[in-house]
Amino acid sequence: ERCGSPPAPRRPSGHLAGFLRWHALGGNELLRKWTGGEHHADSEADSSPTRLSPLGEGTKKLPQAIIVGVKKGGTRALLEFLRVHPDVRAAGAEPHFFDRDYDKGLRWYRELMPKTLEGQITMEKTPSYFVTREAPARIYAMSRDTKLIVVLGRVQDFLGLKRIITDKHFYFNQTKGFPCLKKAEGSSKPHCLGKTKGRTHPNIDPEVVRRLRDFYRPFNMKFYQMTGRVFGWDD
Ligand SMILES: Nc1ncnc2c1ncn2[C@@H]1O[C@H](COP(=O)(O)OS(=O)(=O)O)[C@@H](OP(=O)(O)O)[C@H]1O
């Protein structure tokens, strides 16, 4: 959770949420690159309590959409900001089902989900799924319709949600150095992500930055080709 790998050059401003629909057993090259990886202890839960539907009504369902990565890509920010939407309900902590606790079974996994009413989307985020070789096939075995999200661009359309969450929901918090919510879900108070998010970073030797950019350039180019979009990560 805390040590995303490998280190990638950072974008200077806040990450926007985005998506890719991954066909778990299809030919998607990214999926084939998922490598093995163990993961322990999700300690983000303090900043993201599990929230229930109003009056605790509804039923627990397996997620229809999962944020699978990437680590340190702003996955927590995406989930916290997305759950402001009345049609989105999300597990608070990272379930780590498809990488760590798969043996516990789908019933166990479903219990971790919040209750939802008809029409609401159940979501979770566990970015280590992206680096877990078995995760794509396991998710596919649960449901071939699960939407898989990687933080990149816009996400509300992908999930079939009305575009309700806009910049009006946010303010820029100078101390934090990031956008924060004016009101968290089910609360009237402003909400920034916890201390483990938006940390200050050391200055990196320009030579190291250059080498990292050189290393990632061919992968970025391939990715731009795949998605038909230029993300400008090479500047
Ligand atoms: N609005 C907002 N507030 C706080 N932090 C934000 C925000 N948007 C993006 N980020 C960036 O998210 C980085 C953490 O990403 P993840 O949540 O995916 O991390 S993790 O892999 O689950 O540990 C985190 O990285 P660090 O700065 O290294 O902590 C932030 O740069």
Side-chain angles (χ1 to χ4, degrees):
E1 176 76 324
R2 303 278 162 253
C3 37
S5 61
R10 302 178 61 82
R11 301 292 298 155
S13 55
H15 308 250
L16 292 173
F19 68 87
L20 270 185
R21 182 196 282 269
W22 287 355
H23 300 281
L25 293 182
N28 189 317
E29 196 163 354
L30 266 179
L31 288 183
R32 278 194 240 114
K33 289 193 170 169
W34 283 18
T35 55
E38 265 303 299
H39 226 260
H40 298 286
D42 167 40
S43 48
E44 290 177 345
D46 54 347
S47 64
S48 52
T50 302
R51 294 159 214 208
L52 300 177
S53 58
L55 308 172
E57 286 166 9
T59 52
K60 295 185 177 199
K61 300 182 190 73
L62 290 167
Q64 290 102 48
I66 304 175
I67 300 168
V68 295
V70 296
K71 290 181 186 186
K72 298 294 163 203
T75 54
R76 175 55 63 188
L78 171 58
L79 192 65
E80 290 305 298
F81 299 161
L82 205 52
R83 71 198 300 183
V84 167
H85 200 291
D87 293 341
V88 173
R89 289 292 172 267
E94 292 179 10
H96 282 277
F97 174 63
F98 295 106
D99 59 332
R100 207 164 65 191
D101 282 321
Y102 192 62
D103 294 347
K104 293 191 173 156
L106 286 172
R107 205 174 281 183
W108 177 88
Y109 183 44
R110 194 175 53 207
E111 272 309 303
L112 302 180
M113 300 300 148
K115 288 182 178 172
T116 49
L117 303 170
E118 212 184 310
Q120 289 182 318
I121 297 175
T122 303
M123 290 189 67
E124 71 121 316
K125 81 106 179 169
T126 306
S128 53
Y129 293 161
F130 192 81
V131 290
T132 300
R133 192 180 293 278
E134 299 84 3
R138 287 174 174 178
I139 295 173
Y140 190 82
M142 173 181 75
S143 167
R144 63 179 64 191
D145 296 324
T146 313
K147 289 183 171 175
L148 304 177
I149 297 165
V150 180
V151 175
L152 284 176
R154 289 180 186 279
V155 80
Q156 285 183 93
D157 297 347
F158 178 59
L159 291 173
L161 294 168
K162 248 190 188 171
R163 287 196 195 174
I164 287 175
I165 310 165
T166 66
D167 51 1
K168 292 198 189 88
H169 287 84
F170 302 94
Y171 71 98
F172 188 81
N173 184 306
Q174 294 292 349
T175 320
K176 185 85 187 162
F178 273 108
C180 297
L181 282 170
K182 287 181 188 163
K183 283 185 206 171
E185 182 211 339
S187 150
S188 54
K189 289 188 192 152
H191 175 60
C192 291
L193 299 193
K195 280 189 188 143
T196 62
K197 306 294 176 186
R199 303 160 301 171
T200 46
H201 297 135
N203 286 326
I204 300 172
D205 182 342
E207 173 55 17
V208 175
V209 174
R210 192 190 63 75
R211 284 179 61 190
L212 284 169
R213 285 200 196 290
D214 287 349
F215 176 82
Y216 282 107
R217 191 167 295 110
F219 299 105
N220 290 344
M221 294 302 152
K222 229 173 166 179
F223 187 66
Y224 299 164
Q225 266 182 346
M226 268 174 61
T227 57
R229 279 180 63 183
V230 176
F231 289 91
W233 294 331
D234 317 275
D235 313 335

